[in-house]
Amino acid sequence: MSLIVMKFGGSSVGDAERMKRVAKRIVERKQAGHSCVVVVSAMGDTTDDLIDLSKQIYDGAPPAREMDMLLTTGEQVSVALLSMAIHSLGEQAVSYTGWQSGIFTEDVHGKARITDIQPGRVLNALEQGNVVIVAGFQGMTEDGEITTLGRGGSDTTAVALAAAIKADLCEIYTDVDGIYSTDPRIVKVARKLNEISYDEMLELANLGAAVLHPRAVEYAKNYNVTLVVRSSFTNNEGTNVKEEAVMEQGIVVRGIAYDKNVARVSILGVPEKPGQLAKVFMALAEVQVDVDIIVQSGVLNGSADFSFTTTLADREKALDAIESIRGEIGFREVTSEVNMVKVSIVGAGMVSTPGVAATMFKVISDLGISISLVSTSEIKVSCVIENSNLTEVIQSLHTAYGLDTTEQAFVGGPQDRR
């Protein structure tokens, strides 16, 4: 008998039939002798629908607190329905919101971080023989305010709960049957990985791979949570995320990720004197703008240009923050671009293999595409390019690094396999 945390995403519980299928899988685990805590996302496109509804009501960015109140209802619907589905199969189940489960967060709306979990209520319900179903993506501040963890936060809920209750295993169920070398919707012959290291997975998640949320991988690494990604539609073996992963011979690049949620902001004609960059990025930090790649050009006639990337949602805040310190810095102009995508290659073996970055640059160049920004680390290289040729770039890189297979990747339910 083991203690398992099972997380099901929105596509896995997208309608009544899928909800029943998930309930059956949970009951099978329970009847095999395991204790089960289940974390669930909102059904299908519920979160997007709620966001669209808010836009019909409020012109502009709605109050962040009220958006959290609105968006957390999606997961509450899921947990209640899933509990009913499990009861209908003859098993005991109880559903909890994030705050009922003892999940505490910092006082930030929209993308709060978990600060503590007090799982006493969850553990008591398990001792009484229940399947415990927890709403993902949400928590509560010390002052009792409801918060959300940001998109993909249900993954974080699951792994953090697994760490708090010392679960033997945390399974992330999704519409693909594991972690692939790239998005299998773009490359049908993508390579399924049997295992991947925490560090590689964290890079891929941060760089746009949507199969796992970055904070979830951080939790798994920090608390050594046994993590498996698998399909909710099949019984196929999934991908193990672990401290050290065996490298396949001849495969240096393990994954290719992309992120369309990229805006480039450029500040032109910044007078060259100490402290200028500090003023800019302090102003950005004060309004909670996340910054990724930063590049500064050489100094010419006493001034320099520099660019950075941020998310599309943070672009306007970034521009406003920079304009607010124009008089203090004295730059000539600030511009932004939104038709960008960040394409990245990741692999633990890259640091000791010459020519990996050169291959990436050549593939992109041969497609007639210019590279705007480049960022590197020991295990990744990222290029920011225009997004018009994304599919061709991903497919060409996948082939160039020898990642193509002869098998078709599995995505979605049986009816979606092609």
Side-chain angles (χ1 to χ4, degrees):
M1 180 176 177
S2 60
L3 176 54
I4 302 172
V5 174
M6 308 168 73
K7 181 265 176 177
F8 293 91
S11 60
S12 300
V13 293
D15 54 38
E17 288 306 312
R18 291 187 177 192
M19 188 79 73
K20 291 176 182 177
R21 185 188 300 120
V22 165
K24 182 179 179 183
R25 174 166 286 202
I26 295 166
V27 168
E28 287 172 353
R29 278 299 186 87
K30 178 73 163 55
Q31 293 179 346
H34 303 292
S35 296
C36 300
V37 175
V38 182
V39 175
V40 189
S41 299
M43 296 174 66
D45 296 325
T46 298
T47 302
D48 290 331
D49 292 341
L50 291 171
I51 292 172
D52 289 341
L53 186 58
S54 74
K55 292 178 180 177
Q56 296 175 40
I57 298 294
Y58 194 96
D59 185 18
R65 179 188 184 277
E66 304 312 323
M67 279 302 292
D68 277 359
M69 290 289 287
L70 174 66
L71 297 183
T72 51
T73 63
E75 279 71 22
Q76 291 180 56
V77 170
S78 294
V79 295
L81 291 175
L82 185 55
S83 180
M84 294 177 193
I86 291 172
H87 276 283
S88 73
L89 296 174
E91 285 291 342
Q92 293 178 250
V94 60
S95 63
Y96 292 141
T97 62
W99 44 97
Q100 288 175 317
S101 308
I103 298 173
F104 290 88
T105 75
E106 61 188 359
D107 188 12
V108 175
H109 289 290
K111 51 181 178 181
R113 289 181 176 270
I114 295 173
T115 56
D116 187 28
I117 296 182
Q118 299 174 13
R121 192 170 186 178
V122 171
L123 294 172
N124 288 338
L126 285 172
E127 289 176 3
Q128 295 168 16
N130 290 288
V131 173
V132 180
I133 307 168
V134 176
F137 174 69
Q138 58 187 247
M140 180 178 70
T141 69
E142 292 291 343
D143 294 330
E145 289 293 316
I146 294 172
T147 57
T148 61
L149 309 182
R151 297 303 292 264
S154 292
D155 289 348
T156 308
T157 302
V159 179
L161 261 177
I165 66 176
K166 296 180 170 56
D168 299 292
L169 176 66
C170 181
E171 296 180 321
I172 306 293
Y173 288 85
T174 182
D175 58 353
V176 293
D177 61 350
I179 296 164
Y180 281 83
S181 51
T182 195
D183 187 345
R185 297 166 188 83
I186 289 182
V187 180
K188 303 299 183 184
V189 291
R191 180 183 299 263
K192 180 181 168 183
L193 307 177
N194 294 324
E195 55 185 43
I196 187 170
S197 70
Y198 290 131
D199 288 338
E200 289 173 320
M201 189 65 245
L202 185 56
E203 284 282 14
L204 286 171
N206 277 316
L207 295 168
V211 69
L212 276 177
H213 193 276
R215 291 184 191 172
V217 184
E218 288 177 2
Y219 260 101
K221 178 177 172 62
N222 291 339
Y223 294 95
N224 199 28
V225 174
T226 303
L227 188 59
V228 178
V229 178
R230 58 192 312 178
S231 172
S232 59
F233 300 103
T234 74
N235 291 316
N236 295 348
E237 292 294 325
T239 299
N240 294 300
V241 185
K242 53 198 293 189
E243 185 62 40
E244 296 291 340
V246 176
M247 292 179 58
E248 297 179 62
Q249 189 171 2
I251 302 297
V252 177
V253 172
R254 300 268 283 166
I256 302 171
Y258 64 91
D259 185 2
K260 294 180 179 179
N261 186 26
V262 175
R264 174 181 174 177
V265 176
S266 299
I267 307 177
L268 311 178
V270 179
E272 175 63 16
K273 55 184 179 181
Q276 297 287 65
L277 287 180
K279 292 175 184 177
V280 170
F281 290 103
M282 285 179 66
L284 294 172
E286 286 175 1
V287 293
Q288 301 287 313
V289 170
D290 291 325
V291 174
D292 186 16
I293 302 172
I294 304 170
V295 175
Q296 179 175 332
S297 67
V299 179
L300 180 64
N301 297 325
S303 66
D305 302 336
F306 68 89
S307 301
F308 64 87
T309 59
T310 186
T311 64
L312 293 173
D314 282 347
R315 182 179 71 96
E316 288 297 333
K317 283 198 298 183
L319 293 173
D320 290 344
I322 293 167
E323 285 291 351
S324 71
I325 58 172
R326 176 187 284 269
E328 187 177 351
I329 292 180
F331 57 83
R332 184 178 75 252
E333 182 183 7
V334 58
T335 63
S336 67
E337 301 168 77
V338 295
N339 60 333
M340 315 295 288
V341 62
K342 180 170 65 176
V343 178
S344 307
I345 57 173
V346 174
M350 288 169 47
V351 67
S352 58
T353 306
V356 176
T359 297
M360 183 180 195
F361 300 152
K362 186 176 188 306
V363 166
I364 294 174
S365 173
D366 288 348
L367 293 172
I369 299 169
S370 298
I371 298 172
S372 298
L373 299 169
V374 175
S375 175
T376 65
S377 75
E378 289 186 347
I379 64 172
K380 65 97 173 173
V381 179
S382 296
C383 296
V384 177
I385 61 175
E386 289 189 0
N387 64 11
S388 56
N389 298 91
L390 175 62
T391 297
E392 193 175 5
V393 169
I394 298 296
Q395 291 172 341
S396 299
L397 287 171
H398 200 268
T399 299
Y401 289 113
L403 294 172
D404 293 352
T405 68
T406 57
E407 299 179 4
Q408 291 284 304
F410 179 85
V411 181
Q415 73 279 7
D416 297 328
R417 191 168 192 176
R418 32 184 186 268

